[in-house]
């Protein structure tokens, strides 16, 4: 009887692993999943051994592998985390899929999600290099001459309970909802370079520039240039040679030519900036960033975990080179 139960559990685990590893559920190709597994398994094992050492108060007393076996090995823990991040499937549903308790899945996600969030952002055409802070981003942009695209995005979150302090801090003046905002940095092709600077929905983009040190980075790296929208008008006024904002609309009594020139300038500036909007749209393909229903305290970690996975995919897109405008003779003229 026990042998039959074990065979049934193995078959169910095998089926669940095969289903969750499909890119439609996990959100990443199987080749990419293999790289993630190879990258994160040692870190997870080290974190687990450290936690066990702290819990025991000393070194292990039995050989490795002794004691009760884990129902979910790291492969399955990584899979359930990816499926939860991609589709927002509840923990209870994933637990039913693997025939384990809900707390097992919840613990697995709490362990793996920080590892994904701490990976950093992939750099296009630079395998193995990852950006983890704003300092890394601006140093890279200044060294390689990359023009940044900056934009903010917001995600609806749960409304805080009544009579709680700071209940109005998440009310967005634009969305008229409780939201959390983040700032996205991309290159001219819309490939993610950095995404973070998490703040409540009530905080304006310009305030985040002051509080998170973005303006200080422009001071330290005078060669870095960026294209922004109207929300960063103050940043453009402070750094007119580095930050490009939409042109100001001329007065109504201005000549018609000025209005036509303003529309053309605005169209060109919008065309240069629209790629970062496409970058934010890539994040919204993942269910938790369409409307976040979890605890607001875990939003920053969830956003970083998803953004690092999106950066892996966008970094693989080939760099588009600008065509040369140099004149070349089609044929040699006869003397």
């Amino acid at each position: 009887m026990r042998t039959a139960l074990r065979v049934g559990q193995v078959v169910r685990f095998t089926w669940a692993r095969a289903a969750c590893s499909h890119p439609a559920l996990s959100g990443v190709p199987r080749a990419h999943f293999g790289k993630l597994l190879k990258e994160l398994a040692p870190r997870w094992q080290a974190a687990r051994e450290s936690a066990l050492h702290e819990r025991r108060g000393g070194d292990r007393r039995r050989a490795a592998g002794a004691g009760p076996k884990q129902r979910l090995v790291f492969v399955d823990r990584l899979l359930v985390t990816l499926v939860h991040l991609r589709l927002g499937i509840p923990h209870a549903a994933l637990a039913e899929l693997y025939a384990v308790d809900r707390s097992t899945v919840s613990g697995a996600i709490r362990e793996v999600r920080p590892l994904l969030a701490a990976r950093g952002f992939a750099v296009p055409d630079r395998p193995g290099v990852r950006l983890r802070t704003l300092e890394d981003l601006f140093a890279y942009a200044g060294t390689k001459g990359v023009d940044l695209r900056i934009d903010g995005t917001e995600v609806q979150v749960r409304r805080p309970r009544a009579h709680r302090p700071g209940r109005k801090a998440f009310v967005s003046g634009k969305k008229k909802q409780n939201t959390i905002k983040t700032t996205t940095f991309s290159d001219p092709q819309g490939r993610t370079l950095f995404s973070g600077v998490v703040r409540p929905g009530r905080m304006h983009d310009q305030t985040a520039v002051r509080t998170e040190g973005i303006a200080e980075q422009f001071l330290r790296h005078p060669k870095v240039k960026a294209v922004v929208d109207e929300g960063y008008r103050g940043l453009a006024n402070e750094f007119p040679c580095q930050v490009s904002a939409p042109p100001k609309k001329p007065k109504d009594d201005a000549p018609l030519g000025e209005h036509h020139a303003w529309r053309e300038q605005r169209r060109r500036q919008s065309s240069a900036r629209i790629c970062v909007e496409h970058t934010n749209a890539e994040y919204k393909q993942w269910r938790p960033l369409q409307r976040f229903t979890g605890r607001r305290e875990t939003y920053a970690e969830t956003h970083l975990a998803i953004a690092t996975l999106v950066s892996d995919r966008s970094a693989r897109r080939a760099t588009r080179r600008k065509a040369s405008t140099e004149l070349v003779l089609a044929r040699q003229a006869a003397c």
Side-chain angles (χ1 to χ4, degrees):
M1 185 67 179
R2 292 182 179 179
T3 303
L5 289 175
R6 290 177 181 175
V7 171
Q9 290 177 353
V10 171
V11 171
R12 185 162 186 174
F13 267 66
T14 303
W15 178 86
R17 184 179 300 175
C20 291
S21 62
H22 194 281
L25 293 179
S26 64
V28 298
R30 288 190 171 91
H32 187 195
F33 174 78
K35 295 179 180 179
L36 287 174
L37 184 63
K38 184 178 180 180
E39 175 187 352
L40 298 180
R43 301 179 187 179
W44 174 80
Q45 186 64 31
R48 183 172 180 272
E49 290 297 333
S50 177
L52 291 176
H53 184 277
E54 184 178 356
R55 185 188 305 174
R56 288 190 303 263
D59 297 334
R60 65 166 61 246
R61 301 177 182 177
R62 292 188 292 179
K69 302 299 184 292
Q70 291 185 343
R71 298 295 301 276
L72 287 181
V73 296
F74 181 71
V75 177
D76 300 308
R77 290 171 179 267
L78 179 57
L79 282 174
V80 296
T81 304
L82 291 175
V83 173
H84 177 68
L85 291 176
R86 180 68 179 90
L87 301 176
I89 297 178
H91 298 183
L94 292 171
E96 185 66 24
L97 184 65
Y98 274 92
V100 296
D101 191 73
R102 182 193 60 80
S103 60
T104 303
V105 173
S106 300
I109 294 175
R110 284 196 302 268
E111 293 174 0
V112 177
R113 187 172 54 199
L115 300 179
L116 290 171
R119 293 177 63 236
F121 299 88
V123 178
D125 302 327
R126 298 289 299 277
V129 179
R130 306 192 75 88
L131 307 176
R132 292 180 171 83
T133 62
L134 280 175
E135 290 78 6
D136 296 343
L137 169 67
F138 277 82
Y140 164 75
T143 304
K144 298 300 180 180
V146 178
D147 292 344
L148 300 177
R149 304 295 188 265
I150 307 177
D151 189 33
T153 182
E154 49 189 329
V155 176
Q156 184 180 358
V157 296
R158 288 181 176 179
R159 185 183 183 186
R161 292 183 178 180
H163 310 298
R164 291 286 182 90
R167 191 169 185 238
K168 295 182 179 180
F170 294 92
V171 179
S172 170
K174 179 180 178 181
K175 296 287 187 179
K176 308 302 180 184
Q177 297 173 340
N178 288 266
T179 64
I180 289 181
K181 293 182 179 180
T182 53
T183 304
T184 300
F185 300 80
S186 75
D187 66 358
Q189 291 186 209
R191 297 175 295 190
T192 298
L193 295 179
F194 188 83
S195 184
V197 195
V198 180
R199 59 194 187 277
R202 192 181 183 89
M203 184 180 296
H204 193 271
D205 293 341
Q206 186 61 29
T207 307
V209 167
R210 303 297 179 191
T211 57
E212 298 297 334
I214 299 177
E216 295 179 3
Q217 294 302 320
F218 278 104
L219 284 173
R220 295 179 182 178
H221 303 274
K223 295 183 179 180
V224 176
K225 297 183 179 181
V227 182
V228 298
D229 62 2
E230 192 64 36
Y232 298 91
R233 171 64 64 182
L235 187 65
N237 293 338
E238 185 175 357
F239 303 96
C241 298
Q242 294 178 257
V243 182
S244 171
K248 294 183 179 180
K249 184 177 181 180
K251 297 182 179 179
D252 295 338
D253 57 351
L256 187 60
E258 291 188 15
H259 285 275
H260 286 304
W262 168 75
R263 292 192 184 94
E264 179 61 19
Q265 293 175 6
R266 186 178 181 86
R267 183 192 66 82
R268 292 188 179 185
Q269 200 272 350
S270 177
S271 179
R273 187 189 56 82
I274 195 64
C275 58
V276 71
E277 301 281 0
H278 299 161
T279 304
N280 286 327
E282 287 188 88
Y283 303 150
K284 300 299 177 68
Q285 294 176 4
W286 295 66
R287 184 63 183 86
L289 298 189
Q290 296 174 10
R291 184 178 183 276
F292 190 72
T293 57
R295 294 179 178 271
R296 294 185 304 279
E297 294 79 8
T298 63
Y299 175 82
E301 188 176 87
T302 302
H303 179 89
L304 284 176
I306 293 175
T308 57
L309 295 172
V310 172
S311 73
D312 291 339
R313 181 175 61 182
S314 64
R316 292 194 296 268
R317 295 203 294 263
T319 302
R320 296 193 299 266
R321 305 297 180 182
K322 292 184 178 180
S324 175
T325 57
E326 182 181 0
L327 296 179
V328 180
L329 291 176
R331 60 181 180 180
Q332 188 68 27
C335 295

